[in-house]
Amino acid sequence: MTITITAFERSPDGGKGLARDTRVRWALEEVGQPYRVRPVSFPAMKQPAHLALHPFGQIPTYEDGDLALFETGGIVHHIAERHAGLLPDDSNARARAITWMFAALNTVEPPILELVTAKLLEGDRPWTRERLPLVIDRIRNRLQQLSARLADADWLDGAFSAGDLMMVSVLLRLKSSGILDNYPNLAAYLARGEARPAYKRAFESQLAV
Ligand SMILES: N[C@@H](CCC(=O)N[C@@H](CS)C(=O)NCC(=O)O)C(=O)O
């Protein structure tokens, strides 16, 4: 049974790899699992057939035989539990790696998404000029803390894990903003993630679509 994921038929980022199917592709590439991609259009995402897979009408989804999943946290965690390569064997180290996945999605990604909303969806609102510095401050606060924890380590907790995959995926959204320039260890961390052969394969495959 081949794993099938969904992705944008036409990604709004024009192939920069910021759509969230990239992190699922990356996880599958890291563990060496082949997969198929079913592209979906924006209207199709809101139709019953796709809503049956994803209650919020979004991508990506993941199908493997009888199992259908949505939410990248759940999908990447499932891939990491089912295949070797993304979670350590030691149970405490494994729990910490999973904690970093949650930290990426629940603590670091929300302020970064606020910036995306402020710039792309609310850029023309009169209050955006005042709001933007507050949003950027919240991001800087999180980056400062993350940078302090990472220090001069390569990865967040020993070897590369699903926690790093998720954290790098979340930080990628800041790449063009210049905000990471103040945190050289985070910029280097991002570059290390992007340099992984599995990430490169994931990036190239989403770009091809
Ligand atoms: N929390 C969800 C977010 C999914 C999400 O926001 N997907 C975006 C693409 S990256 C999407 O489908 N946007 C279109 C829409 O919401 O209509 C996850 O991590 O899977």
Side-chain angles (χ1 to χ4, degrees):
M1 196 65 73
T2 308
I3 293 165
T4 302
I5 68 167
T6 51
F8 283 133
E9 187 178 70
R10 186 177 277 266
S11 181
D13 76 357
K16 290 198 187 105
L18 300 180
R20 289 175 179 79
D21 56 289
T22 303
R23 50 184 83 164
V24 174
R25 293 171 190 262
W26 186 7
L28 289 166
E29 294 287 352
E30 288 284 352
V31 301
Q33 280 299 303
Y35 60 97
R36 288 188 326 117
V37 180
R38 190 169 63 246
V40 281
S41 66
F42 269 92
M45 276 192 282
K46 312 302 173 194
Q47 295 302 313
H50 188 76
L51 287 169
L53 287 173
H54 197 309
F56 307 113
Q58 298 181 312
I59 60 99
T61 57
Y62 171 102
E63 292 159 83
D64 185 11
D66 290 342
L67 178 67
L69 295 174
F70 61 96
E71 282 296 331
T72 53
I75 296 171
V76 171
H77 179 242
H78 170 76
I79 295 167
E81 286 287 1
R82 187 151 289 190
H83 307 282
L86 282 172
L87 287 175
D89 290 335
D90 173 75
S91 63
N92 284 356
R94 200 174 180 92
R96 288 195 302 272
I98 294 168
T99 298
W100 277 115
M101 289 181 66
F102 278 97
L105 295 173
N106 280 354
T107 305
V108 179
E109 190 169 49
I112 295 175
L113 291 179
E114 260 193 86
L115 180 65
V116 177
T117 304
K119 280 186 171 171
L120 296 185
L121 303 181
E122 298 165 353
D124 57 349
R125 303 298 172 96
W127 33 262
T128 291
R129 273 175 65 127
E130 279 186 66
R131 181 168 179 250
L132 215 47
L134 303 177
V135 171
I136 291 174
D137 269 359
R138 283 197 282 273
I139 296 175
R140 286 194 194 286
N141 184 36
R142 283 290 175 253
L143 295 184
Q144 186 58 51
Q145 294 162 325
L146 185 64
S147 167
R149 172 54 77 101
L150 181 66
D152 58 0
D154 279 355
W155 306 113
L156 287 166
D157 192 308
F160 176 84
S161 78
D164 295 296
L165 184 151
M166 210 50 105
M167 192 65 80
V168 168
S169 299
V170 161
L171 294 178
L172 275 167
R173 236 175 244 285
L174 291 177
K175 200 175 160 186
S176 61
S177 71
I179 296 177
L180 284 171
D181 296 350
N182 291 4
Y183 312 93
N185 66 337
L186 293 184
Y189 173 66
L190 191 63
R192 264 192 300 282
E194 288 179 292
R196 291 181 72 82
Y199 175 81
K200 287 185 183 165
R201 288 195 296 274
F203 182 87
E204 290 305 326
S205 66
Q206 65 78 36
L207 185 62
V209 179

